[in-house]
Amino acid sequence: MKKFARILIIALCLATAFSVAAAAIVPYTSYTYDLERWMLESPHAYVPDRVIDSKFMGLVTPLNDPTDMFIDDTGNVYIADAKNNRIVICDGNYKPFMFLDTFVNSEGVLDELTTPSGIFVNEKYIYVADTDNYRIVVFERNTGKFVRIFEEPKGDVFPENHIYKPVALAVDHADRMYVIGANTHYGVIALNSDGVFTGFLGAQTASLNAWEIFWMMIQTKEQKANQKSVVPTEYNNITIDQSGFIYVTTNTVDEGALISAIEGKSKAGTYMPVKMLNPKGDDVMTRSGFYPPAGELLWFFANTNGQSAGVSSIIDVALGPDGMWSIVDSNRQKIYTYDHDGKLLFVFGEKGTQIGQLQSVSSICYKGTDLLAMDKTTDSITVYKRTDYGDFIAAALQNNTERNYNSAVDYWKELLQRNANFDQAYIGIGDSLYREGKYQEAFEYYEVTYSVQKCSDSFKNIRKQWIEKYILIIPAVIILVVLLLSKFFKYANKVNKAGQVMKEKRTLKEAVLYGFHVIFHPFDGFWDLKHEKRGNLKGAIFIIAFTVVAFIYQGLGKAFIFSPYNQGINFFGEILSVLTPYFLWSLANWCLTTLFDGEGSFKDICIATAYSMLPLPLMIIPATLLTNVITIEEASLVNLFVQIAYIWMGFLLFFGMMVTHDYSLSKNILTSLGTLVGMAFIMFVGVLFSGLLAKLFQFFYNIYVELSYRM
């Protein structure tokens, strides 16, 4: 009996353990993205709780192609059951208590809904987008009694033969209606409380590629007349928040334009699949995340379980608690959730048949902290419960909104304990430290998430504190630097004056210091460089090496604010970035000027070109040092230094070739342009030749491999 009891206890323990493990299984991965678009797995913010189908609801006539869903302020669930031509209204336990299908209209005639596709509910009324009857029907919320019908609006801006088919709608506090119409390319249809058309809001921008623009430019009048007009994309869904801001989605945005906007980390909403419009129709959505809210970022990967590749097809947006909002991708059946600043919080969902997976999502809604997703393939609603991890995110966001920053930090730190890859938590802690005046600590937290602007703001205050502390040292350092530069240039001038005497050989010091005479007196300097041998090949090599060092330092020495993604540099690549254009210019110029009576030898060209490069290291090194003491708003100073360096070098190179070859101005312009063409030609031949060598090597290698196998 004791053995039997032990076995029974062990069996019960195992059964309990297995049941807990089975309940904890979630059939998808939750994740976020980092700055480089690497997928970072995160704890689940939402897990599947149950599936609500027609059987669970107790419906005699099962749902058939439900297209939209709405949750009112009491938790009642409204379902647009399109193919059954009805609206199903359920209580908070998903049990139906009212149906809207037939009604007696204002003419006293029995009427009915036909393919209702959208629904919106406010304090008094239920608004139904009666799609195939081309109208909006309004019912009383409490009784379901018919109120009125809004027929097709009239307006001169509607195109000829336009068919009005409302598929989604939202209503603000003044009972103004915002309607999404199928095949309406002019934006959201705005109607006043009487159903009178007042205009279009937020029309999407039409995008044209380079070929389309070129083709339109060369078309004849007849071709332009017969060409289909270029129209913007259309919206497919809409919702509205408590402040009257309208969220709209589209899945017909130009894919190429969207990809370019995402890769460019665009903050504009021109080609975005989700927008937040103010009552004027302007997009006012904040997009302060690494990438704009557009759904999937890894669109170029083929999915492992048969899902569609490509950009996300966004078909609905849902507004949740604490400033969170979500969009759903019908390609991948995934839900992407963002905060009020457009930062990605988490992604979850998957295509499939397990509980928690979706096959063809048509609508999503928040019901308190739960998230509901409607699947029109299975005619069911999947309910996702928020986890403790999701609760911590919501609590942190809520405390931030309410300016309880100290409390918010506690939640952010707890989130980091659960998910060390959660960038929003680092930013939240950094914000709190910044408000407390702990700018250095805030900078370190911002640095983890590559938040360049926030790092710049922190550094501005760090610099201010440093200046206040060492105010007397700064002018002393400036004076010392000016004195040292003055003494150096005086010494260089003294050496250059002493070098005016003809010599057969020049020391390396004389050759290098003569470069400072050349860059300030190019005509006299390049003449003496060639005819009086004031410089030499050793000096040229030193200047080239100095330039290489400057480029390497530029790659390594920039401050984080100006080079946040610096993963180190390729030393060989930096060397080639200097030597390749140097030798291409020298070779191409020598080849061309030999044919056009140039007086400079290849050695003369190499030396003059090297001396022309001296402004680069002289300006790039101070510019790189400068990045460590200025903010991002002052970046124009760095750009100015670098631009001056290249312009200065260009002038020296031009006049250096002119003096070296004893050319006139016009002839030197032609040969300079010809040199640039020659550089391109040499590069083309080099690439072609290297490709042929590679193929030849591969051919002989394949022969070797074949012979080795046969022998």
Side-chain angles (χ1 to χ4, degrees):
M1 289 297 293
K2 288 181 179 179
K3 289 182 179 180
F4 177 76
R6 290 172 184 168
I7 293 171
L8 182 61
I9 291 170
I10 292 171
L12 288 172
C13 291
L14 289 173
T16 303
F18 281 122
S19 65
V20 171
I25 292 174
V26 178
Y28 51 75
T29 300
S30 296
Y31 60 92
T32 58
Y33 285 107
D34 69 1
L35 183 68
E36 301 299 327
R37 281 191 291 178
W38 288 105
M39 186 184 294
L40 303 175
E41 189 171 344
S42 69
H44 295 296
Y46 276 88
V47 295
D49 179 58
R50 68 179 85 171
V51 175
I52 309 299
D53 57 13
S54 300
K55 183 177 180 181
F56 182 93
M57 295 180 188
L59 292 172
V60 176
T61 303
L63 296 175
N64 190 357
D65 192 28
T67 56
D68 197 15
M69 178 173 48
F70 192 91
I71 314 296
D72 69 16
D73 52 4
T74 63
N76 292 335
V77 182
Y78 299 74
I79 301 170
D81 191 8
K83 289 192 176 177
N84 284 327
N85 302 318
R86 65 181 180 178
I87 302 297
V88 180
I89 306 175
C90 304
D91 60 21
N93 296 317
Y94 308 100
K95 299 300 180 182
F97 66 88
M98 189 186 300
F99 297 90
L100 303 177
D101 45 14
T102 60
F103 57 93
V104 177
N105 62 29
S106 56
E107 302 294 331
V109 177
L110 185 64
D111 207 338
E112 64 180 8
L113 302 176
T114 305
T115 321
S117 300
I119 188 168
F120 186 89
V121 182
N122 62 14
E123 295 83 358
K124 295 181 180 180
Y125 302 116
I126 302 170
Y127 295 80
V128 178
D130 194 8
T131 304
D132 285 344
N133 282 328
Y134 318 110
R135 63 189 182 182
I136 295 170
V137 184
V138 183
F139 302 91
E140 286 185 358
R141 171 173 161 174
N142 295 329
T143 63
K145 182 181 177 181
F146 166 77
V147 177
R148 67 177 298 182
I149 291 175
F150 293 103
E151 300 287 356
E152 178 180 359
K154 304 300 180 183
D156 296 336
V157 294
F158 284 99
E160 189 177 353
N161 300 322
H162 174 264
I163 299 176
Y164 174 68
K165 293 187 70 173
V167 295
L169 76 161
V171 183
D172 66 13
H173 292 299
D175 292 333
R176 290 184 291 258
M177 292 172 284
Y178 304 96
V179 183
I180 301 297
N183 303 316
T184 299
H185 303 278
Y186 297 93
V188 180
I189 302 169
L191 311 174
N192 66 16
S193 58
D194 294 323
V196 177
F197 174 73
T198 59
F200 290 105
L201 299 180
Q204 286 277 74
T205 302
S207 59
L208 294 172
N209 58 39
W211 167 249
E212 289 171 334
I213 295 172
F214 174 74
W215 177 243
M216 289 179 68
M217 291 172 62
I218 64 174
Q219 280 181 320
T220 63
K221 291 183 179 180
E222 290 77 9
Q223 287 174 322
K224 290 180 179 179
N226 295 325
Q227 176 181 289
K228 292 183 179 179
S229 60
V230 179
V231 295
T233 54
E234 61 186 83
Y235 294 121
N236 56 23
N237 226 318
I238 187 170
T239 191
I240 191 168
D241 66 13
Q242 294 295 319
S243 301
F245 290 100
I246 304 162
Y247 289 74
V248 288
T249 59
T250 178
N251 61 348
T252 58
V253 68
D254 181 81
E255 182 168 329
L258 176 57
I259 289 173
S260 298
I262 294 174
E263 290 184 336
K265 302 178 182 177
S266 173
K267 305 301 181 184
T270 307
Y271 300 111
M272 290 296 110
V274 58
K275 297 182 179 182
M276 184 175 76
L277 308 178
N278 63 17
K280 291 183 179 180
D282 300 324
D283 180 27
V284 293
M285 177 175 285
T286 303
R287 298 176 175 89
S288 60
F290 294 148
Y291 294 90
E296 188 59 47
L297 299 180
L298 299 179
W299 62 81
F300 41 82
F301 284 144
N303 296 305
T304 57
N305 57 354
Q307 297 174 8
S308 301
V311 296
S312 291
S313 176
I314 306 302
I315 61 166
D316 199 9
V317 55
L319 306 181
D322 308 310
M324 291 191 290
W325 55 277
S326 302
I327 53 177
V328 62
D329 177 7
S330 63
N331 277 352
R332 298 168 177 81
Q333 312 301 314
K334 291 185 178 182
I335 297 171
Y336 303 79
T337 301
Y338 304 86
D339 69 1
H340 63 281
D341 289 325
K343 299 187 184 77
L344 181 65
L345 298 175
F346 49 83
V347 183
F348 72 94
E350 195 67 81
K351 186 173 184 178
T353 58
Q354 299 182 55
I355 294 177
Q357 294 178 330
L358 302 168
Q359 296 184 52
S360 183
V361 65
S362 59
S363 179
I364 57 172
C365 276
Y366 278 92
K367 184 174 181 288
T369 60
D370 292 348
L371 184 59
L372 279 57
M374 178 174 287
D375 193 326
K376 62 182 180 180
T377 296
T378 59
D379 298 321
S380 64
I381 299 171
T382 300
V383 180
Y384 298 92
K385 284 283 186 185
R386 199 165 74 184
T387 64
D388 291 343
Y389 177 73
D391 289 340
F392 278 113
I393 293 176
L397 293 175
Q398 182 182 9
N399 278 283
N400 259 357
T401 302
E402 296 174 354
R403 299 186 179 183
N404 298 324
Y405 301 119
N406 291 331
S407 299
V409 167
D410 295 335
Y411 287 108
W412 292 129
K413 288 181 177 179
E414 179 63 31
L415 285 166
L416 286 180
Q417 294 294 323
R418 297 165 180 254
N419 180 13
N421 293 322
F422 191 39
D423 293 324
Q424 183 64 15
Y426 289 102
I427 294 173
I429 296 171
D431 288 343
S432 179
L433 292 169
Y434 183 89
R435 295 184 188 98
E436 293 177 12
K438 299 177 181 179
Y439 302 116
Q440 184 60 48
E441 294 91 332
F443 184 96
E444 293 170 1
Y445 275 96
Y446 292 145
E447 189 176 16
V448 173
T449 61
Y450 300 95
S451 300
V452 175
Q453 185 59 56
K454 288 180 179 290
C455 283
S456 179
D457 295 338
S458 298
F459 179 74
K460 183 186 295 184
N461 287 283
I462 294 170
R463 184 181 64 181
K464 181 181 177 181
Q465 291 176 342
W466 192 92
I467 291 173
E468 291 173 351
K469 187 176 181 180
Y470 300 102
I471 186 64
L472 297 177
I473 296 178
I474 296 172
V477 171
I478 294 174
I479 293 170
L480 179 62
V481 170
V482 171
L483 288 174
L484 290 174
L485 287 174
S486 177
K487 286 194 172 185
F488 173 78
F489 281 112
K490 284 181 180 179
Y491 176 73
N493 187 46
K494 180 180 177 181
V495 172
N496 288 327
K497 282 185 177 180
Q500 291 177 352
V501 180
M502 283 291 295
K503 295 181 181 179
E504 289 188 13
K505 291 184 179 181
R506 304 280 180 176
T507 64
L508 178 61
K509 180 182 72 173
E510 290 176 319
V512 171
L513 291 178
Y514 184 69
F516 292 91
H517 177 76
V518 171
I519 63 177
F520 292 112
H521 307 86
F523 289 99
D524 177 55
F526 282 113
W527 176 267
D528 290 348
L529 187 68
K530 175 185 176 184
H531 295 283
E532 297 184 8
K533 309 300 179 185
R534 296 290 301 275
N536 53 37
L537 201 56
K538 289 188 294 184
I541 293 172
F542 180 88
I543 292 172
I544 293 171
F546 187 29
T547 306
V548 169
V549 170
F551 272 74
I552 291 173
Y553 175 65
Q554 185 183 39
L556 293 174
K558 275 188 177 181
F560 171 82
I561 295 172
F562 292 87
S563 183
Y565 319 128
N566 192 346
Q567 302 294 326
I569 64 168
N570 183 341
F571 287 90
F572 184 68
E574 294 294 336
I575 294 171
L576 286 182
S577 69
V578 175
L579 295 184
T580 301
Y582 169 76
F583 282 113
L584 282 174
W585 172 272
S586 301
L587 181 59
N589 189 266
W590 175 71
C591 292
L592 192 66
T593 54
T594 300
L595 300 175
F596 289 93
D597 303 323
E599 295 183 4
S601 64
F602 183 68
K603 180 181 178 181
D604 293 333
I605 295 169
C606 289
I607 292 174
T609 302
Y611 275 78
S612 301
M613 294 168 60
L614 186 56
L616 287 181
L618 294 181
M619 301 298 284
I620 286 176
I621 291 176
T624 305
L625 286 168
L626 196 61
T627 63
N628 293 277
V629 295
I630 64 175
T631 64
I632 198 92
E633 289 81 11
E634 300 156 350
S636 56
L637 290 174
V638 176
N639 297 331
L640 179 64
F641 268 75
V642 176
Q643 289 170 6
I644 289 173
Y646 280 103
I647 293 171
W648 195 354
M649 184 196 74
F651 275 110
L652 290 174
L653 191 60
F654 177 79
F655 291 115
M657 295 301 102
M658 183 176 171
V659 172
T660 300
H661 297 297
D662 197 17
Y663 279 164
S664 65
L665 181 64
S666 58
K667 191 172 183 179
N668 193 54
I669 292 173
L670 290 175
T671 53
S672 297
L673 294 174
T675 300
L676 295 174
V677 174
M679 291 172 67
F681 179 75
I682 293 170
M683 289 179 64
F684 172 75
V685 172
V687 171
L688 183 64
F689 184 68
S690 61
L692 290 174
L693 283 179
K695 289 184 178 181
L696 189 64
F697 173 78
Q698 186 67 32
F699 172 73
F700 284 111
Y701 178 75
N702 290 338
I703 292 176
Y704 166 75
V705 171
E706 186 68 23
L707 290 174
S708 63
Y709 278 121
R710 292 183 180 275
M711 294 176 61

